[in-house]
Amino acid sequence: MRESAAGSIAGNDRGSAVTRLLVPLCGVLLVVAIGVWAYRWWTGEAHIIKERLNSLAAVLSPSGDSEFSTISRIGQLRGYFAPDVRVHFGGDDIISRDALLALLAKWQPPSKNLKVEFVDVSVTVEEDTALASLTAKLSNTDASAAEDSIADAREGVVTLRKLNGEWVISS
């Protein structure tokens, strides 16, 4: 009887040793899996496209009223659109980057405190093309107001393609 009791105690020691090794190992594997997922998300094309759209919104938001700031903004905008971009807005069709930039250069925002944002962005990437469903929101960021007032919000779909290593809007 002593042998079976001793054998039983030795078996429990082996089980608890395995448990002591298994719990930290599972914890390490979980941390590694979360790290891999976070890295893939952070460096993924969808995240890069969302950041690119955020940068475009910042450039579209007027930062000054001088002619130089307008020219500078238009120059920056060139890099966000494909040369053969197609834009359908309302009843108008714009069929080139130059035509779009000329239209944006003429545009006079209703307020110097206008802020452009792309919200509710959902991106689907397939190789070198992507679709981004989003809401374009214009708001007045008047410093005297307690909070931003929304001037307009429109839903849309943007098609992007990778051109020379950069995601640009193609339609």
Side-chain angles (χ1 to χ4, degrees):
M1 183 125 183
R2 284 185 168 181
E3 284 182 33
S4 68
S8 165
I9 293 171
N12 286 342
D13 285 344
R14 268 187 254 131
S16 63
V18 169
T19 303
R20 283 193 306 259
L21 290 174
L22 192 57
V23 171
L25 180 62
C26 287
V28 168
L29 289 176
L30 180 64
V31 168
V32 168
I34 290 171
V36 167
W37 175 83
Y39 175 78
R40 291 195 68 195
W41 175 81
W42 189 258
T43 60
E45 296 297 324
H47 180 75
I48 291 168
I49 290 169
K50 287 179 182 180
E51 289 299 316
R52 183 103 169 122
L53 291 170
N54 285 338
S55 297
L56 173 61
V59 173
L60 287 171
S61 301
S63 59
D65 58 355
S66 72
E67 187 176 332
F68 178 73
S69 67
T70 301
I71 293 169
S72 173
R73 271 192 359 197
I74 298 304
Q76 290 174 347
L77 287 172
R78 178 173 286 285
Y80 288 94
F81 298 98
D84 58 345
V85 66
R86 303 269 188 240
V87 178
H88 179 76
F89 187 76
D92 297 329
D93 286 326
I94 302 165
I95 57 170
S96 74
R97 177 175 57 196
D98 292 335
L100 177 62
L101 294 177
L103 183 67
L104 289 172
K106 292 179 194 174
W107 178 59
Q108 294 297 316
S111 165
K112 292 180 177 89
N113 299 317
L114 188 71
K115 180 179 178 184
V116 178
E117 293 177 280
F118 298 123
V119 296
D120 301 327
V121 179
S122 174
V123 177
T124 305
V125 179
E126 290 185 19
E127 296 183 23
D128 288 346
T129 61
L131 284 177
S133 299
L134 53 83
T135 300
K137 185 173 89 170
L138 301 175
S139 54
N140 188 356
T141 59
D142 189 4
S144 64
E147 58 184 53
D148 295 350
S149 62
I150 297 175
D152 197 7
R154 304 219 179 173
E155 293 181 1
V157 176
V158 177
T159 304
L160 299 102
R161 72 175 189 235
K162 207 164 202 179
L163 189 63
N164 298 326
E166 288 288 337
W167 286 103
V168 294
I169 296 172
S170 59
S171 70

